[in-house]
Amino acid sequence: MTAYLPRLEAVIFDWAGTLVDFGSFAPTRVFVEAFAQFGVAITLEQARGPMGMGKWDHIRALCDEPVIGRQYEARFGSLPDDAAVTSIYERFLPMQLEKVAQYSDVIPGALETLRAVRERGLKVGSCSGYPASVMQRVLARAAQGGIAPDCVVASDEVPRARPAPAMALHNVIALGLADVAGCVKVDDTDVGIEEGRRAGMWSVGLLLSGNAAGLTLQDYLALDAAGREAARERARAVLAPAAPHYLIDTVAELPDVLTDIAARLARGERP
């Protein structure tokens, strides 16, 4: 009897910072604005810290930071409890709905990579830290740019979002896949990379297009070789602790990674 070897079946992509929204600015800027409405000043860098989580969990993590919690306490007389987090989230959500499409341009190379994925006969899954209501806006904008995955899972459609594996595994079920070892999870955040690892998948981190580098497309294109390497090193320090199998600059480099993974599977390796 021939030994079973899984084959490459699907790629599961994150959205902001991976397929759309170079630099992942849509959520970060709105987090800053939402907290400001409660008299709490946070920086873009602070807002980026828990990126990749579901947005309520993201706000909870920000409120747990002492410097942020103390600001809230000074204004309201107590540290932010879950009810306070919900109040900030309820202020954040309509602002995010209003502005997300403005930041959802397709990342250069994403369309070509998706085409290459499909030409290999692979399915295209996706998941996001955005709730479903926001994802509807992202999907509408992305469709205009030619991006239409086979499956989309939002953070509020599973019991536990990242870094838990539920969204990635929801894709496995919905796409009818045979083995998680034949799946590749692509993400620009440490919790998104960890999500892929917890799901038993190959996990690929993106260094320069997403949250870890925090560059606009214009800033990225303006970097010289030394500047890009410095940005890679900063992002690598953020993503490497999540133990990705691969780290690449943007999704444009993913086809070569898929070739390597397919060869490793054929040799009997698993993630």
Side-chain angles (χ1 to χ4, degrees):
M1 181 176 178
T2 303
Y4 166 73
L5 293 175
R7 62 177 181 82
L8 200 55
E9 293 186 81
V11 182
I12 300 171
F13 294 92
D14 174 52
W15 281 88
T18 299
L19 293 176
V20 300
D21 185 10
F22 199 103
S24 194
F25 281 95
T28 50
R29 287 176 171 159
V30 177
F31 279 128
V32 171
E33 294 173 16
F35 273 86
Q37 292 194 11
F38 288 81
V40 177
I42 67 172
T43 65
L44 276 176
E45 184 177 0
Q46 287 172 317
R48 288 186 181 281
M51 193 61 68
M53 292 181 170
K55 300 313 175 194
W56 190 96
D57 292 329
H58 188 131
I59 294 170
R60 175 71 273 172
L62 289 173
C63 287
D64 287 341
E65 292 188 16
V67 67
I68 295 174
R70 285 195 296 269
Q71 286 189 65
Y72 186 95
E73 184 180 25
R75 183 172 178 85
F76 296 101
S78 64
L79 291 170
D81 58 11
D82 284 355
V85 171
T86 297
S87 294
I88 298 171
Y89 177 80
E90 289 175 347
R91 191 74 57 88
F92 162 86
L93 186 56
M95 296 167 65
Q96 186 73 90
L97 284 166
E98 178 186 351
K99 298 189 176 185
V100 69
Q102 299 174 20
Y103 296 99
S104 293
D105 289 341
V106 175
I107 288 174
L111 284 176
E112 293 80 1
T113 291
L114 289 173
R115 188 177 305 118
V117 168
R118 293 194 185 281
E119 286 174 353
R120 290 172 179 263
L122 307 179
K123 295 183 178 180
V124 177
S126 69
C127 54
S128 174
Y130 285 136
S133 58
V134 175
M135 274 310 302
Q136 290 175 4
R137 304 284 180 94
V138 175
L139 286 169
R141 177 66 178 272
Q144 294 174 9
I147 292 182
D150 302 315
C151 180
V152 181
V153 182
S155 62
D156 59 349
E157 294 178 321
V158 295
R160 292 183 64 185
R162 298 169 184 155
M167 287 195 291
L169 295 176
H170 192 293
N171 274 269
V172 172
I173 295 168
L175 295 173
L177 306 180
D179 195 324
V180 292
C183 301
V184 181
K185 175 70 201 309
V186 185
D187 208 291
D188 67 302
T189 66
D190 54 350
V191 295
I193 291 168
E194 186 176 348
E195 171 193 23
R197 294 295 308 238
R198 290 191 187 192
M201 302 175 178
W202 302 93
S203 202
V204 180
L206 304 180
L207 292 168
L208 296 185
S209 67
N211 185 67
L215 298 167
T216 66
L217 178 59
Q218 292 72 26
D219 289 341
Y220 165 74
L221 294 173
L223 291 175
D224 59 14
R228 288 196 182 189
E229 186 55 33
R232 285 188 195 100
E233 287 305 309
R234 291 195 302 272
R236 188 175 286 113
V238 175
L239 300 182
H245 295 94
Y246 299 86
L247 285 169
I248 57 178
D249 286 354
T250 76
V251 288
E253 299 175 10
L254 186 64
D256 287 344
V257 171
L258 298 180
T259 298
D260 192 63
I261 291 173
R264 292 175 70 176
L265 288 169
R267 293 195 298 267
E269 295 184 44
R270 296 181 70 92

